[in-house]
Amino acid sequence: EAGVAQSPRYKIIEKRQSVAFWCNPISGHATLYWYQQILGQGPKLLIQFQNNGVVDDSQLPKDRFSAERLKGVDSTLKIQPAKLEDSAVYLCASSSRGLDILDEQFFGPGTRLTVL
Amino acid sequence: LAKTTQPISMDSYEGQEVNITCSHNNIATNDYITWYQQFPSQGPRFIIQGYKTKVTNEVASLFIPADRKSSTLSLPRVSLSDTAVYYCLVGEVSNYQLIWGAGTKLIIKP
């Protein structure tokens, strides 16, 4: 079974530029998560999708971050414009069941973003 | 919201049993405890999950006392490859939220 795929693996941009990350979850997984992980900290949930609908985006900085999950499969996370404090690893995860936080989450390798 | 507290770091040696304790004083009746492991440059990986007493799988055991205000992840006979960050999470079933703490950095020495 293929795992969660993310691209790019690394990205370096200057502040005020825009950037987009892509995630392809495990086939058939209904729930998709985007996390932000700052160095030395645990992951912070940005947004959770159930199929192509948003379940929770309470911690997503909506003035600069946006995310979509077209057709309930792939997802993109965009930052526009980026700030220095957005430097972090962006993790995508998926789980098979819907709205079950006890369900095991499968994580991708992450995208390491550096904002200069 | 239940919040977890773990030691920032721990050291041990190959072949030893390692116990990492997590405190979650405000855990609610329906909440579960889940542990994840994260290696450098990788996403976290599920280890084990439990509600009370003891749960064991092929890689770890999870001990949860009756008051459920803490839990202990036990790794038997660790090896160098167990060097990682271990996260204790409380799954708030009522809010559909997983609360991630800062994790415990475990370093295994030869």
Side-chain angles (χ1 to χ4, degrees), chain A residues 7-114:
Chain A
S7 67
R9 289 295 313 276
Y10 305 91
K11 190 73 177 179
I12 301 174
I13 62 173
E14 295 190 351
K15 60 183 179 183
R16 291 188 288 274
Q17 286 187 323
S18 62
V19 64
F21 313 125
W22 173 81
C23 172
N24 182 248
I26 292 173
S27 178
H29 278 197
T31 307
L32 185 146
Y33 310 80
W34 281 103
Y35 289 89
Q36 179 193 60
Q37 186 172 27
I38 293 172
L39 187 63
Q41 299 182 17
K44 170 189 169 185
L45 179 67
L46 293 176
I47 190 167
Q48 178 183 346
F49 292 95
Q50 171 70 15
N51 295 313
N52 60 349
V54 175
V55 174
D56 181 3
D57 63 356
S58 57
Q59 298 194 83
L60 186 73
K62 298 181 185 62
D63 58 334
R64 297 184 301 106
F65 286 65
S66 65
E68 60 181 5
R69 189 182 184 196
L70 299 176
K71 301 181 181 179
V73 182
D74 293 8
S75 178
T76 57
L77 176 69
K78 297 179 181 178
I79 307 175
Q80 182 179 9
K83 293 185 175 182
L84 296 177
E85 59 261 37
D86 298 331
S87 292
V89 174
Y90 291 84
L91 295 163
C92 179
S94 69
S95 61
S96 59
R97 299 197 294 265
L99 292 181
D100 184 350
I101 58 135
L102 302 182
D103 195 17
E104 178 180 350
Q105 294 185 30
F106 294 84
F107 284 80
T111 297
R112 182 177 297 276
L113 173 67
T114 302

Side-chain angles (χ1 to χ4, degrees), chain B residues 18-21 35 47-48 60-62 71-75 86:
Chain B
V18 171
N19 296 311
I20 305 174
T21 297
W35 286 79
I47 301 176
I48 198 166
S61 294
L62 178 60
S71 59
T72 298
L73 174 72
S74 181
L75 304 172
Y86 292 81

